[in-house]
PDB file of all heavy atoms in Angstrom:
ATOM      1  N   GLY A 511      13.195  54.307   2.906  1.00 98.00           N
ATOM      2  CA  GLY A 511      13.582  52.906   2.959  1.00 98.00           C
ATOM      3  C   GLY A 511      12.502  52.000   2.380  1.00 98.00           C
ATOM      4  O   GLY A 511      11.414  52.448   1.995  1.00 98.00           O
ATOM      5  N   THR A 512      12.817  50.723   2.322  1.00 98.00           N
ATOM      6  CA  THR A 512      11.932  49.731   1.701  1.00 98.00           C
ATOM      7  C   THR A 512      11.668  48.593   2.677  1.00 98.00           C
ATOM      8  O   THR A 512      12.585  48.129   3.354  1.00 98.00           O
ATOM      9  CB  THR A 512      12.565  49.169   0.412  1.00 98.00           C
ATOM     10  OG1 THR A 512      12.815  50.236  -0.494  1.00 98.00           O
ATOM     11  CG2 THR A 512      11.650  48.152  -0.244  1.00 98.00           C
ATOM     12  N   VAL A 513      10.432  48.136   2.706  1.00 98.00           N
ATOM     13  CA  VAL A 513      10.053  46.951   3.464  1.00 98.00           C
ATOM     14  C   VAL A 513       9.589  45.886   2.489  1.00 98.00           C
ATOM     15  O   VAL A 513       8.715  46.140   1.653  1.00 98.00           O
ATOM     16  CB  VAL A 513       8.934  47.248   4.490  1.00 98.00           C
ATOM     17  CG1 VAL A 513       8.430  45.953   5.135  1.00 98.00           C
ATOM     18  CG2 VAL A 513       9.434  48.215   5.547  1.00 98.00           C
ATOM     19  N   ILE A 514      10.197  44.698   2.580  1.00 98.00           N
ATOM     20  CA  ILE A 514       9.784  43.554   1.771  1.00 98.00           C
ATOM     21  C   ILE A 514       8.877  42.693   2.641  1.00 98.00           C
ATOM     22  O   ILE A 514       9.322  42.098   3.622  1.00 98.00           O
ATOM     23  CB  ILE A 514      10.991  42.734   1.281  1.00 98.00           C
ATOM     24  CG1 ILE A 514      12.013  43.635   0.568  1.00 98.00           C
ATOM     25  CG2 ILE A 514      10.530  41.592   0.393  1.00 98.00           C
ATOM     26  CD1 ILE A 514      11.477  44.340  -0.652  1.00 98.00           C
ATOM     27  N   ALA A 515       7.613  42.638   2.294  1.00 98.00           N
ATOM     28  CA  ALA A 515       6.638  41.834   3.036  1.00 98.00           C
ATOM     29  C   ALA A 515       6.582  40.451   2.392  1.00 98.00           C
ATOM     30  O   ALA A 515       5.945  40.260   1.360  1.00 98.00           O
ATOM     31  CB  ALA A 515       5.267  42.498   3.023  1.00 98.00           C
ATOM     32  N   ALA A 516       7.267  39.498   3.014  1.00 98.00           N
ATOM     33  CA  ALA A 516       7.368  38.159   2.434  1.00 98.00           C
ATOM     34  C   ALA A 516       6.712  37.090   3.303  1.00 98.00           C
ATOM     35  O   ALA A 516       6.761  35.914   2.959  1.00 98.00           O
ATOM     36  CB  ALA A 516       8.837  37.802   2.213  1.00 98.00           C
ATOM     37  N   GLY A 517       6.128  37.494   4.441  1.00 96.00           N
ATOM     38  CA  GLY A 517       5.419  36.533   5.274  1.00 96.00           C
ATOM     39  C   GLY A 517       4.051  36.208   4.678  1.00 96.00           C
ATOM     40  O   GLY A 517       3.551  36.918   3.790  1.00 96.00           O
ATOM     41  N   PHE A 518       3.419  35.146   5.178  1.00 96.00           N
ATOM     42  CA  PHE A 518       2.085  34.747   4.736  1.00 96.00           C
ATOM     43  C   PHE A 518       1.105  35.228   5.815  1.00 96.00           C
ATOM     44  O   PHE A 518       0.874  34.567   6.805  1.00 96.00           O
ATOM     45  CB  PHE A 518       2.018  33.227   4.552  1.00 96.00           C
ATOM     46  CG  PHE A 518       0.764  32.735   3.871  1.00 96.00           C
ATOM     47  CD1 PHE A 518      -0.043  33.613   3.157  1.00 96.00           C
ATOM     48  CD2 PHE A 518       0.399  31.413   3.955  1.00 96.00           C
ATOM     49  CE1 PHE A 518      -1.191  33.150   2.526  1.00 96.00           C
ATOM     50  CE2 PHE A 518      -0.740  30.938   3.323  1.00 96.00           C
ATOM     51  CZ  PHE A 518      -1.541  31.812   2.607  1.00 96.00           C
ATOM     52  N   TYR A 519       0.555  36.406   5.599  1.00 96.00           N
ATOM     53  CA  TYR A 519      -0.272  37.063   6.612  1.00 96.00           C
ATOM     54  C   TYR A 519      -1.693  36.521   6.583  1.00 96.00           C
ATOM     55  O   TYR A 519      -2.225  36.219   5.506  1.00 96.00           O
ATOM     56  CB  TYR A 519      -0.256  38.576   6.391  1.00 96.00           C
ATOM     57  CG  TYR A 519       1.153  39.135   6.335  1.00 96.00           C
ATOM     58  CD1 TYR A 519       1.804  39.322   5.116  1.00 96.00           C
ATOM     59  CD2 TYR A 519       1.845  39.393   7.504  1.00 96.00           C
ATOM     60  CE1 TYR A 519       3.097  39.791   5.070  1.00 96.00           C
ATOM     61  CE2 TYR A 519       3.156  39.868   7.471  1.00 96.00           C
ATOM     62  CZ  TYR A 519       3.774  40.043   6.237  1.00 96.00           C
ATOM     63  OH  TYR A 519       5.069  40.499   6.213  1.00 96.00           O
ATOM     64  N   GLN A 520      -2.315  36.440   7.756  1.00 94.00           N
ATOM     65  CA  GLN A 520      -3.649  35.871   7.863  1.00 94.00           C
ATOM     66  C   GLN A 520      -4.613  36.895   8.459  1.00 94.00           C
ATOM     67  O   GLN A 520      -4.293  37.597   9.413  1.00 94.00           O
ATOM     68  CB  GLN A 520      -3.618  34.642   8.785  1.00 94.00           C
ATOM     69  CG  GLN A 520      -2.630  33.564   8.338  1.00 94.00           C
ATOM     70  CD  GLN A 520      -2.993  32.968   7.007  1.00 94.00           C
ATOM     71  OE1 GLN A 520      -4.046  32.344   6.870  1.00 94.00           O
ATOM     72  NE2 GLN A 520      -2.133  33.148   6.018  1.00 94.00           N
ATOM     73  N   GLY A 521      -5.807  36.980   7.875  1.00 91.00           N
ATOM     74  CA  GLY A 521      -6.844  37.833   8.425  1.00 91.00           C
ATOM     75  C   GLY A 521      -6.540  39.318   8.260  1.00 91.00           C
ATOM     76  O   GLY A 521      -5.727  39.728   7.439  1.00 91.00           O
ATOM     77  N   GLU A 522      -7.241  40.150   9.039  1.00 92.00           N
ATOM     78  CA  GLU A 522      -7.083  41.587   8.939  1.00 92.00           C
ATOM     79  C   GLU A 522      -5.794  42.048   9.623  1.00 92.00           C
ATOM     80  O   GLU A 522      -5.293  41.413  10.545  1.00 92.00           O
ATOM     81  CB  GLU A 522      -8.294  42.288   9.569  1.00 92.00           C
ATOM     82  CG  GLU A 522      -9.588  42.007   8.823  1.00 92.00           C
ATOM     83  CD  GLU A 522     -10.759  42.770   9.404  1.00 92.00           C
ATOM     84  OE1 GLU A 522     -10.544  43.570  10.339  1.00 92.00           O
ATOM     85  OE2 GLU A 522     -11.889  42.555   8.922  1.00 92.00           O
ATOM     86  N   ALA A 523      -5.299  43.204   9.170  1.00 94.00           N
ATOM     87  CA  ALA A 523      -3.982  43.670   9.597  1.00 94.00           C
ATOM     88  C   ALA A 523      -4.060  44.468  10.900  1.00 94.00           C
ATOM     89  O   ALA A 523      -3.876  45.692  10.909  1.00 94.00           O
ATOM     90  CB  ALA A 523      -3.354  44.509   8.500  1.00 94.00           C
ATOM     91  N   ALA A 524      -4.300  43.787  11.993  1.00 93.00           N
ATOM     92  CA  ALA A 524      -4.332  44.452  13.292  1.00 93.00           C
ATOM     93  C   ALA A 524      -2.911  44.828  13.707  1.00 93.00           C
ATOM     94  O   ALA A 524      -1.979  44.032  13.569  1.00 93.00           O
ATOM     95  CB  ALA A 524      -4.949  43.526  14.343  1.00 93.00           C
ATOM     96  N   GLY A 525      -2.746  46.058  14.206  1.00 93.00           N
ATOM     97  CA  GLY A 525      -1.443  46.487  14.720  1.00 93.00           C
ATOM     98  C   GLY A 525      -0.585  47.234  13.727  1.00 93.00           C
ATOM     99  O   GLY A 525       0.497  47.703  14.087  1.00 93.00           O
ATOM    100  N   VAL A 526      -1.023  47.352  12.474  1.00 95.00           N
ATOM    101  CA  VAL A 526      -0.253  48.092  11.473  1.00 95.00           C
ATOM    102  C   VAL A 526      -0.792  49.522  11.420  1.00 95.00           C
ATOM    103  O   VAL A 526      -1.976  49.748  11.148  1.00 95.00           O
ATOM    104  CB  VAL A 526      -0.347  47.436  10.082  1.00 95.00           C
ATOM    105  CG1 VAL A 526       0.412  48.250   9.056  1.00 95.00           C
ATOM    106  CG2 VAL A 526       0.180  46.009  10.136  1.00 95.00           C
TER     107      VAL A 526
END
Side-chain angles (χ1 to χ4, degrees):
T512 301
V513 172
I514 307 299
F518 190 17
Y519 306 95
Q520 304 296 297
E522 295 184 4
V526 178

